[in-house]
Amino acid sequence: MGVFITKQDWDPNAPLTRASFDLKPFCERFDGGEMPAKDQIYFDCDVPHRTGYQVILGVWSIADTANAFYQVVDVNMQAK
């Protein structure tokens, strides 16, 4: 599974595209192609510094197929 975040300067009024995201995932989890042992999995990630409205995209590729699951989360990030 890879977790991606939009670039700081992305345009939220334009269609969301691959170019809107950092191409390198900021968090990854590898299960060696195995199905997760539980219905829910947990892992810690260090989210890159961003401010304002951002989108986080999780992509879980199924190892033995060309299929994947996608999860998108809208977030509003504030500086500390």
Side-chain angles (χ1 to χ4, degrees):
M1 175 175 201
V3 185
F4 302 84
I5 191 167
T6 45
K7 297 174 182 175
Q8 180 63 53
D9 62 349
W10 77 292
D11 181 358
N13 297 310
L16 194 60
T17 66
R18 176 172 278 197
S20 304
F21 291 89
D22 285 342
L23 296 180
K24 183 177 183 212
F26 70 85
C27 189
E28 295 180 284
R29 176 187 167 103
F30 296 103
D31 291 317
E34 297 295 323
M35 190 171 183
K38 299 179 181 181
D39 291 340
Q40 297 180 5
I41 59 168
Y42 299 91
F43 53 104
D44 294 322
C45 300
D46 292 322
V47 179
H49 175 74
R50 297 285 193 279
T51 56
Y53 174 63
Q54 301 293 326
V55 176
I56 295 176
L57 168 66
V59 181
W60 175 31
S61 299
I62 303 171
D64 58 350
T65 74
N67 299 320
F69 293 97
Y70 300 89
Q71 179 69 48
V72 177
V73 180
D74 296 306
V75 295
N76 186 13
M77 303 178 83
Q78 298 178 6
K80 284 186 172 182

